[in-house]
Amino acid sequence: MIKTQPLIDKLAISISIACAIHCLVMPIVLLLLPAFAVLPLNNEAFHLWMVIIIIPTSIYALFMGCKQHKRFRLLLIGAIGLVFLTSALLIGDEVWEKVLTLLGSFTIASGHFVNYRLCQKSNNCNTCED
């Protein structure tokens, strides 16, 4: 049986980091390369789709880790990050949107990283073997 827990944690971390990189790099790219301005990469649809992907991935991975390791603070960390990301969608101010997106991405990635490390350290974890 394939163990999905480490894979889902890695996927969730990667998605969160990709979101943060997009948030930081895209304004610079748009300033330096005006030709990229016609691409739909900086619109709200991208942010919405990233959040739609992040929410179920993060909930699943963190819930499975909490179920196995009994570290329910990971769910709280993940929930806080998801609140930041969801709030960023609702905020009209571009600066606050970026701040909340970055806070949410790093908070969620931190929760998944802790979950992954706990999984690696656990000797009796039956969902976390690579």
Side-chain angles (χ1 to χ4, degrees):
M1 182 172 163
I2 297 174
K3 306 299 180 184
T4 59
Q5 181 63 40
L7 179 64
I8 297 297
D9 275 326
K10 289 176 187 177
L11 177 64
I13 290 168
S14 299
I15 293 170
S16 293
I17 291 171
C19 188
I21 289 171
H22 171 267
C23 185
L24 289 172
V25 173
M26 191 52 61
I28 295 168
V29 169
L30 290 175
L31 285 173
L32 297 177
L33 301 169
F36 283 118
V38 297
L39 296 176
L41 297 176
N42 197 25
N43 63 13
E44 292 302 314
F46 180 84
H47 193 182
L48 176 65
W49 283 108
M50 289 298 288
V51 170
I52 288 171
I53 293 169
I54 289 169
I55 287 174
T57 304
S58 293
I59 289 172
Y60 175 76
L62 292 173
F63 177 75
M64 294 305 292
C66 288
K67 181 179 171 186
Q68 187 66 36
H69 303 295
K70 308 293 189 238
R71 304 283 175 104
F72 294 100
R73 67 186 165 107
L74 294 177
L75 281 177
L76 180 62
I77 291 169
I80 290 169
L82 292 174
V83 167
F84 283 146
L85 284 180
T86 306
S87 297
L89 283 174
L90 303 174
I91 300 295
D93 183 45
E94 189 171 333
V95 173
W96 278 107
E97 181 181 349
K98 299 229 182 282
V99 169
L100 290 171
T101 298
L102 291 173
L103 283 173
S105 295
F106 289 123
T107 303
I108 292 170
S110 298
H112 286 293
F113 181 74
V114 171
N115 193 43
Y116 180 75
R117 296 303 295 164
L118 286 171
C119 190
Q120 294 298 313
K121 290 179 182 179
S122 178
N123 293 331
N124 61 354
C125 183
N126 61 5
T127 63
C128 302
E129 297 169 5
D130 285 329

